[in-house]
Amino acid sequence: MEEIKIMINIPENKRNVPSLLTCIDGTEVKTAQDWINKRRPEILEMLRREEYGRLPDMSDVEIKIQVTAVRQGPKIMNGRAVRKTVEVEAVRKERHFIFTFDVFIPADAKEPVPAFVEICNRGPMNCDPARENLSSFYPAETIISRGYACAAFRTHEVAPDYEEGFKTGFHRLFPDYVDNRPDDAWGTITVWAWAASRVMDYFEMEPMIDAAKVAVVGHSRGGKTALWCGAQDERFAMAISSCSGNSGDAISRGKTGESIAQILDRFPFWFAKNYQKYANNEEAMPFDQHFLIALMAPRLVYTSTKTNDSWADPVSEFESLVQADPVYQLFGLEGLEQREFSLPEQPLHNGHIGHHHKTGEHNMDDYDWDQYMDYADRHMK
Ligand code: GTR
């Protein structure tokens, strides 16, 4: 068989990040098949073991997903959407854990529609299923008006966002891990990502949603989660990160603003214990955050950042996209359309790696959502 040679245009490696295309055994990735069969699985394993942590054996966990309420009429977005309330119940050895989320589906949809899953790390004011509190963090009315379905779950309901010894929420299913926690056991980000995948399970059962066209979206800690969810769950067509910064979309080596030591000081429970090895020791990491971005290939990945978010560090956020681009080239796809740092209000929407940089503070707002949907209209719809 004739070998197809792909010329990969490797970006300049100013931060000395590990190569995506060199396997642990030193062999080079030359084709998309090498990536899929060898390099991708080893990178996924590396990020599980060293950074975010792996889920416990879930084979004895029974998961039940059911719609508990369906509402339609003038009180639900003036009749423009159907709202379904969905309950996810996980049972293990007579221990139960439940979280719920609400889905909005355009009432006038004639065929299955694409959808967004929002990982809501803020309070109910920002993702109110009753829609009494409207927030640009989750502009569900706009999403519906543009022909998408959407669902948001509250991270706090899935696993607490504070140090509590891995005892409540999802963690309560696994008391065996409380006093005996392996260094590669899951951190909270992994559990939130697991929950987003359960929303996808439901989408696969919902006849009015096109499960092949779903994006998972999150801001900041939610953005780190969205990228980690998309990396692991290949059913998602796209992952979208807003201002996810350290341990999200930003390269750690040479990063300004938040460092690994600082994130672990405040939020150690987000990660596997193994990640502690790299506090003030970034050079020792066999990976960097471009590995996380590249796990989305050949699917779509989109990141956004704000000019004043120095804690997240827009330059390092952009650098991970530049460094991930060669993996898209392996697939013969356009990844990132330019390597020069992006200018504010000039979205990069041409490639499979999308990005925008906006004037403003650490937040996810209407402008961001408009860009996400413009990009999805173009590449996912
Ligand atoms: C910060 C944290 C960031 C980011 C942010 C957020 O305090 O240091 O990594 O996750 O919280 O979620 O808004």
Side-chain angles (χ1 to χ4, degrees):
M1 216 167 59
E2 202 189 332
E3 201 187 332
I4 304 167
K5 290 227 162 41
I6 306 168
M7 292 299 290
I8 306 282
N9 183 351
I10 302 284
E12 190 190 344
N13 188 359
K14 288 176 262 179
R15 304 274 184 103
N16 192 31
V17 295
S19 164
L20 273 167
L21 301 184
T22 308
C23 298
I24 294 172
D25 66 6
T27 57
E28 289 297 315
V29 173
K30 294 209 174 69
T31 64
Q33 283 314 312
D34 295 343
W35 171 260
I36 292 167
N37 297 332
K38 186 167 176 187
R39 186 59 172 152
R40 187 181 195 283
E42 69 182 32
I43 287 178
L44 194 54
E45 165 59 20
M46 202 185 284
L47 298 190
R48 279 203 173 110
R49 191 183 62 233
E50 301 294 314
E51 185 169 6
Y52 303 103
R54 65 176 95 252
L55 284 174
D57 175 11
M58 302 286 288
S59 59
D60 58 354
V61 179
E62 191 194 349
I63 295 173
K64 300 177 206 164
I65 299 178
Q66 52 172 328
V67 176
T68 57
V70 180
R71 288 293 308 272
Q72 185 172 8
K75 288 186 184 145
I76 308 294
M77 292 188 185
N78 295 319
R80 292 170 57 203
V82 181
R83 186 185 69 199
K84 299 192 179 186
T85 306
V86 181
E87 184 182 283
V88 178
E89 182 179 15
V91 186
R92 177 176 183 257
K93 297 185 181 164
E94 290 169 16
R95 288 170 168 266
H96 291 246
F97 151 71
I98 286 176
F99 75 97
T100 62
F101 59 89
D102 289 86
V103 187
F104 293 99
I105 301 171
D108 59 0
K110 304 274 182 298
E111 53 186 40
V113 293
F116 292 90
V117 178
E118 171 150 341
I119 298 163
C120 183
N121 56 297
R122 293 194 178 164
M125 299 289 274
N126 283 283
C127 49
D128 181 7
R131 308 310 294 160
E132 274 166 24
N133 304 291
L134 301 184
S135 156
S136 58
F137 195 69
Y138 180 51
E141 288 72 11
T142 313
I143 299 173
I144 289 296
S145 73
R146 292 189 58 159
Y148 293 89
C150 55
F153 72 90
R154 293 158 294 275
T155 52
H156 308 74
E157 247 186 75
V158 174
D161 198 356
Y162 53 85
E163 184 90 74
E164 49 76 62
F166 293 95
K167 289 180 178 148
T168 54
F170 169 92
H171 312 310
R172 68 187 301 279
L173 298 176
F174 300 96
D176 22 336
Y177 278 76
V178 171
D179 296 320
N180 181 20
R181 213 169 165 72
D183 291 349
D184 65 350
W186 72 94
T188 307
I189 287 175
T190 292
V191 179
W192 295 335
W194 170 86
S197 287
R198 304 293 70 77
V199 179
M200 175 56 102
D201 292 346
Y202 165 69
F203 281 1
E204 288 188 324
M205 293 152 48
E206 167 55 59
M208 288 314 288
I209 290 181
D210 183 350
K213 294 179 180 167
V214 178
V216 56
V217 189
H219 168 69
S220 205
R221 63 199 73 188
K224 305 179 213 293
T225 308
L227 292 173
W228 182 227
C229 171
Q232 298 179 92
D233 190 338
E234 295 184 65
R235 295 174 298 173
F236 285 97
M238 160 148 74
I240 303 175
S241 149
S242 157
C243 304
S244 63
N246 188 282
S247 309
D249 66 342
I251 290 290
S252 297
R253 284 170 173 81
K255 185 183 181 302
T256 57
E258 187 175 37
S259 66
I260 294 177
Q262 283 165 322
I263 204 168
L264 287 174
D265 187 45
R266 294 164 67 210
F267 306 107
F269 56 92
W270 285 355
F271 304 97
K273 266 194 224 156
N274 272 332
Y275 200 35
Q276 310 268 352
K277 293 187 286 194
Y278 305 113
N280 299 314
N281 190 23
E282 283 83 354
E283 287 302 321
M285 296 193 299
F287 57 91
D288 209 313
Q289 294 306 117
H290 58 314
F291 280 34
L292 180 65
I293 303 289
L295 287 173
M296 286 306 298
R299 295 166 296 146
L300 302 163
V301 59
Y302 193 103
T303 69
S304 65
T305 187
K306 296 289 164 71
T307 48
N308 296 336
D309 195 356
S310 53
W311 191 238
D313 181 6
V315 173
S316 297
E317 290 179 302
F318 191 74
E319 186 61 16
S320 67
L321 309 182
V322 172
Q323 296 298 330
D325 175 73
V327 178
Y328 284 82
Q329 294 180 49
L330 278 178
F331 288 92
L333 295 170
E334 176 171 17
L336 188 64
E337 69 189 76
Q338 69 179 47
R339 287 180 179 174
E340 302 76 45
F341 183 51
S342 65
L343 295 173
E345 282 75 61
Q346 293 191 19
L348 306 179
H349 282 191
N350 286 328
H352 274 57
I353 302 177
H355 178 73
H356 73 258
H357 184 182
K358 186 208 167 207
T359 307
E361 313 299 323
H362 182 72
N363 195 10
M364 181 161 72
D365 57 28
D366 286 323
Y367 176 91
D368 298 318
W369 272 103
D370 287 345
Q371 301 306 317
Y372 302 156
M373 288 187 275
D374 287 351
Y375 185 79
D377 285 352
R378 184 157 159 191
H379 295 277
M380 191 174 77
K381 237 181 186 173

